[in-house]
Amino acid sequence: MRPSPGRASSPYGQRAAVTPEAYEAWAGPEGTHTVQLAKGKALVTQLMDDLGLDAIVYPSGNAYSTIGSNMRLSPNTGMPAVTVPMGWVAAIGNSPAGNVNLEWLGRDFAEGPLLGLAYAFEQATHARTAPAPYGPLQ
């Protein structure tokens, strides 16, 4: 398979050269990616069952960098998640002030309770602040 014009020199050049067979081995029903997603989902669901949890809540990302982000649990398990603001951090050194968020990971097909928990947190904390050029949500 030949890469698309202009893509061979881009960061996606290797992706453009992936054959349908290689992709199927990775993402197909028996592919390594699909198998790992299923294992991750089973592991996290079992943890939630064992601890009687409706959701797992954790900080989503690093306020001063995108490196070391915690936002990997949902995409690597296929489980639903919602991120809500929890406040701001002060500037440190050359790093500007920034927002910090919480990610709420829920069970499959339980998006209603997950959104309810996130909404209740937002209503209790009012942590979201509108950016300077924008007004409040209506």
Side-chain angles (χ1 to χ4, degrees):
M1 175 181 220
R2 296 185 64 122
S4 303
R7 290 199 59 183
S9 62
S10 79
Y12 300 104
Q14 290 178 330
R15 291 182 185 175
V18 171
T19 65
E21 296 78 19
Y23 180 79
E24 189 63 28
W26 179 75
E30 302 299 321
T32 56
H33 181 68
T34 304
V35 169
Q36 291 306 315
L37 280 176
K39 286 180 181 178
K41 181 180 292 194
L43 180 69
V44 173
T45 300
Q46 186 62 55
L47 172 74
M48 293 174 77
D49 289 346
D50 291 349
L51 298 174
L53 302 176
D54 293 322
I56 297 174
V57 183
Y58 46 90
S60 57
N62 178 336
Y64 300 110
S65 171
T66 57
I67 298 172
S69 173
N70 296 327
M71 298 184 290
R72 302 282 185 258
L73 199 49
S74 177
N76 287 319
T77 61
M79 298 170 76
V82 60
T83 300
V84 296
M86 70 172 184
W88 284 82
V89 294
I92 296 177
N94 293 332
S95 298
N99 65 324
V100 289
N101 304 308
L102 285 177
E103 185 161 290
W104 302 67
L105 181 84
R107 297 172 176 275
D108 277 348
F109 310 108
E111 288 85 354
L114 179 66
L115 293 173
L117 289 167
Y119 178 76
F121 176 82
E122 286 185 316
Q123 295 304 299
T125 63
H126 297 284
R128 182 188 182 278
T129 56
Y134 305 100
L137 294 176
Q138 308 249 341

